């Protein structure tokens, strides 16, 4: 039986457990580089077991990649629409997984837009996220959400909290902190 290494740096053997199908790559200095994305895709390719495959081999759990906001991509999007995109750090991108049903999707979009307005931020627009459905099974296609991004500019300070809206304050505060920092 192989033992876990001794505690060192960021590694702590007490956190060892089965992480079947999990890969993690990070640049701890925060350097922007395509290399980190390429390495992440290589991990994904190497994890054949990833995907929680069932009877249909084309159904899996999906995969994600968290990166810095690709400013050039959003500058191109904004330029094509004559949208004035603020400097990096003064806008955020909300990745939205919306219902396929148009009526339900409209309700979800309206709620998010209202929340943005209540928080004193500025919705610049919605970006359709390109998707490639080649190789996806029928079950996946039937349940696949509509994927869009809401591009939100920093607005003036949020509205003053009142007792009636104070309940949302911790969540809204976390959202602002994560979006703008």
């Amino acid at each position: 039986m192989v033992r876990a290494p001794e505690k060192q740096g960021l590694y702590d053997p007490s956190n060892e457990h089965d992480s079947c199908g999990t890969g993690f790559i990070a640049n701890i200095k925060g350097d922007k580089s395509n290399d980190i994305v390429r390495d992440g895709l290589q991990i994904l390719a190497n994890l054949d077991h990833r995907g929680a495959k069932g009877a249909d081999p084309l159904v899996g759990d999906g995969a994600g990649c968290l990166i810095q906001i690709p400013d050039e991509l959003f500058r191109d999007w904004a330029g094509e629409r004559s949208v004035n995109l603020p400097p990096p750090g003064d806008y955020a991108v909300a990745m939205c997984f919306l219902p396929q049903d148009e009526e339900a999707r409209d309700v979800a979009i309206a709620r998010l837009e209202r929340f943005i307005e209540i928080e004193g931020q500025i919705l610049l627009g919605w970006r359709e996220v390109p998707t490639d459905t080649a190789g996806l099974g029928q079950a996946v296609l039937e349940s696949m959400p509509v994927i869009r991004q809401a591009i939100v500019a920093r607005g003036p300070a949020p509205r003053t909290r009142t007792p009636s809206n104070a309940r949302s304050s911790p969540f809204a505060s976390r959202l602002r902190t994560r979006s703008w920092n």
Side-chain angles (χ1 to χ4, degrees), residues 63-74:
C65 184
L66 179 63
I67 61 171
Q68 289 123 338
I69 294 175
D71 187 63
E72 278 186 48
L73 176 81
F74 289 102

Side-chain angles (χ1 to χ4, degrees), residues 50-53 56-62 140:
R50 188 210 67 76
K53 293 178 186 170
D56 182 349
L58 299 179
V59 175
D61 62 351
V140 172

